[in-house]
Amino acid sequence: MKNKISSVYPNSNYQTSSAPIIYVADFSVRTNKERGVEIHDNVPSNPNDESQDMDCLQIHNEQQISIDFNIFDDHQFKNEVNEDIEHCECCLFPSENNDKSWLAFIEIKDCKAKNISVYKEKTKNQIISTVNLFRQNNIIAGQKIYGIISMPRKKISFNDAILGDIVTQTALKREYHILFHATNQISIDNEYLITPIL
C-alpha cells in the first residue's frame, strides 16, 4: 500500500506503530497550527496544560499488529487548477497487507461537544473526498474501507448524532462503499477487520 500511495504522492509522510494502544491526536486548534496530526504510542499531554492528557482517538491493537499511518499534508491533494481539495487527516492500514486488507480513513474534529452538529456533514465529506481521490488514482480498488470520525472531546457515544440511524448508515455504505463509524475508540481485530468501541 505504501508503494501505491507514494507512486502518486511521492512526498507522503508515514509513521508505523505496533503499540497495544495507539493515540491519534490533532493538535492544530490548540497550537494555532504549529503542530498538526500526530501518532503516539503513549497518551500525549495537552499542549495548553501539560498536566492534562490530550483528547485522542484511541486505536486498541491487542495483537500488536504493525500499522502504517499516512498523515496527509494540508496541501497534498490538488484539483486541476492547483487548488487544495478538502480531505481527512490520515489513513492507516496493516504494514503487511494485500487486496483484502482493510484501509481506514480518519477525520478528527477537536471541537467542543456542543459544536458536533456544525461539522456533521463536513466530516463525512472530507473522508468521501479522500477515498474518491485514492480510487481515481487506483491506489485502492476492492479493499474494505472504513471512515472513522472522531470528536475526542465528546466523552460519550455520538455515532447517531453524526451518522443517523442504521438505515442512513447503510445508505452511506451502499452509495460510497465506506463503512462509517463515529467513535473515539476502535479495535484492530486482525489484518482484515476493525470494529468501533462505542
Side-chain angles (χ1 to χ4, degrees), residues 2 16 56 77 84 133 150 182:
K2 265 185 173 179
T16 302
C56 301
F77 305 105
D84 291 333
L133 287 167
S150 175

Side-chain angles (χ1 to χ4, degrees), residues 148-162:
I148 308 299
I149 298 168
S150 175
M151 297 195 169
R153 293 196 205 191
K154 180 75 170 168
K155 301 307 180 192
I156 59 173
S157 176
F158 56 94
N159 190 70
D160 291 346
I162 298 293

Side-chain angles (χ1 to χ4, degrees), residues 61-76:
N61 184 22
E62 289 183 12
Q63 296 185 52
Q64 297 187 291
I65 296 167
S66 179
I67 304 297
D68 288 338
F69 293 81
N70 177 201
I71 302 168
F72 303 138
D73 180 84
D74 283 347
H75 309 291
Q76 182 164 334

Side-chain angles (χ1 to χ4, degrees), residues 124 128 135 163-180:
K124 288 181 277 196
I128 291 165
R135 286 182 173 140
L163 300 173
D165 58 23
I166 192 68
V167 175
T168 306
Q169 292 178 42
T170 303
L172 280 167
K173 185 181 179 194
R174 188 181 304 116
E175 183 173 358
Y176 300 107
H177 305 287
I178 301 169
L179 185 56
F180 280 96

